Amino acid sequence: MNRITLTGIVIASAPIGEYDRRVVLLTRERGKISAFARGARKPNSALVGVTSPFTFGTFEVYEGRTSYTLMSASVSNYFEELRMDIEGAYYGFYFLELANYYAREANDETELLKLLYQTLRALVNPNVPNRLIRHIYELKAVSVNGEGPQVFSCICCGDTQREKVFSVKRGGLVCSACGGRASDGKKLLPSTLYTLQFIIATPVEKLYTFVVKEEVLEELAKVVGEYMERYVGKRFKSLDILETVGAQGMEG
């Protein structure tokens, strides 16, 4: 067995047997891995606190032939604020679930890990609305995965000068000369288009440095929501709960 140290975050955790846990880690060095944390559910175990979702730090694991075993961890951030905020927690769980969906073992997931960490930091920052954080994260995550829309030129002919509409079916902008190929084409507010371009082009570290007007947020939500529905095509349990919580909040 090989003892290695990985930098990462717990993106899922589940009980196994009477005392153990199985955790899924998104790591810088090995991509997504699953590890067994033996005895982690015993009250006096040193692994009790470090196997919870959102835990970020360095994890010491044994690498076996077919599995990993978590031995210890040095935690940099527990994101404890999310445990005291129901809505924030469900946004966070959705972000973890989306990262879990995209991440692969033995793949370079450095950008996705960085994005997830910066997004959780933004989530505990009261200056950026949670809904905006959600759509920034969604768009950046699909872009990091190589599935983002083309928002800088016409996806059909490459034109950068003519008027354009956004087509979810085509996967990006379609210019006026190619408009016949975009039956679902939609003219976006200039600020919405700029926001899409900023999210896709900006380094992760500088993503959560702006806010937008409500009309832009509404249009961004619609565009990104339709794009996610078409190209991700998966419903996430945490998102269903989040939308239920949000609806109840609006009724209250």
Side-chain angles (χ1 to χ4, degrees):
M1 295 177 78
N2 185 26
R3 194 165 183 145
I4 57 176
T5 301
L6 306 172
T7 298
I9 188 168
V10 178
I11 57 176
S13 179
I16 295 289
E18 192 172 354
Y19 297 114
D20 303 338
R21 277 195 178 278
R22 174 182 171 272
V23 295
V24 180
L25 300 171
L26 178 61
T27 73
R28 188 169 60 200
E29 298 84 359
R30 297 293 175 92
K32 182 173 74 172
I33 68 165
S34 295
F36 290 100
R38 305 198 186 284
R41 295 166 63 209
K42 292 181 178 179
N44 60 347
S45 171
L47 298 179
V48 169
V50 303
T51 53
S52 299
F54 306 120
T55 303
F56 177 84
T58 55
F59 298 84
E60 194 167 328
V61 301
Y62 275 128
E63 181 183 17
R65 282 186 296 178
T66 58
S67 64
Y68 293 88
T69 301
L70 177 63
M71 304 305 296
S72 64
S74 176
V75 178
S76 303
N77 200 332
Y78 286 103
F79 290 102
E80 291 171 350
E81 299 94 330
L82 296 179
R83 305 175 204 281
M84 297 177 281
D85 174 6
I86 293 177
E87 184 182 279
Y90 279 113
Y91 271 107
F93 281 123
Y94 170 50
F95 300 156
L96 296 185
E97 209 175 345
L98 187 57
N100 196 355
Y101 174 77
Y102 271 134
R104 298 288 180 269
E105 186 167 353
N107 200 31
D108 182 358
E109 303 292 3
T110 305
E111 279 300 298
L112 184 60
L113 175 62
K114 197 189 304 181
L115 172 63
L116 180 58
Y117 180 74
Q118 293 296 341
T119 302
L120 294 177
R121 286 188 62 192
L123 199 53
V124 298
N125 175 1
N127 297 321
V128 186
N130 289 347
R131 282 183 66 212
L132 178 59
I133 293 170
R134 169 187 166 178
H135 300 310
I136 292 173
Y137 176 74
E138 288 172 331
L139 183 58
K140 195 67 172 179
V142 296
S143 299
V144 166
N145 199 55
E147 299 176 342
Q150 169 55 267
V151 295
F152 293 95
S153 61
C154 176
I155 200 161
C156 299
C157 71
D159 175 77
T160 59
Q161 303 301 317
R162 288 188 285 268
E163 287 284 310
K164 295 174 182 61
V165 293
F166 186 88
S167 167
V168 171
K169 289 181 181 177
R170 285 285 173 179
L173 297 178
V174 178
C175 75
S176 54
C178 301
R181 304 185 196 180
S183 58
D184 67 327
K186 191 178 303 179
K187 180 71 175 170
L188 300 180
L189 293 167
S191 294
T192 305
L193 177 56
Y194 177 78
T195 301
L196 292 172
Q197 293 172 335
F198 182 87
I199 293 168
I200 289 173
T202 299
V204 169
E205 295 85 353
K206 298 181 180 179
L207 265 185
Y208 299 103
T209 55
F210 70 96
V211 293
V212 296
K213 292 181 178 178
E214 186 62 27
E215 61 180 354
V216 175
L217 181 54
E218 289 298 330
E219 194 168 63
L220 181 69
K222 188 168 179 56
V223 168
V224 175
E226 290 176 358
Y227 195 89
M228 294 287 288
E229 189 173 337
R230 183 173 182 87
Y231 293 100
V232 178
K234 173 180 167 60
R235 286 299 297 181
F236 297 92
K237 291 180 182 178
S238 49
L239 185 55
D240 290 335
I241 297 170
L242 176 61
E243 290 175 350
T244 302
V245 170
Q248 290 173 345
M250 289 176 67
E251 289 171 5

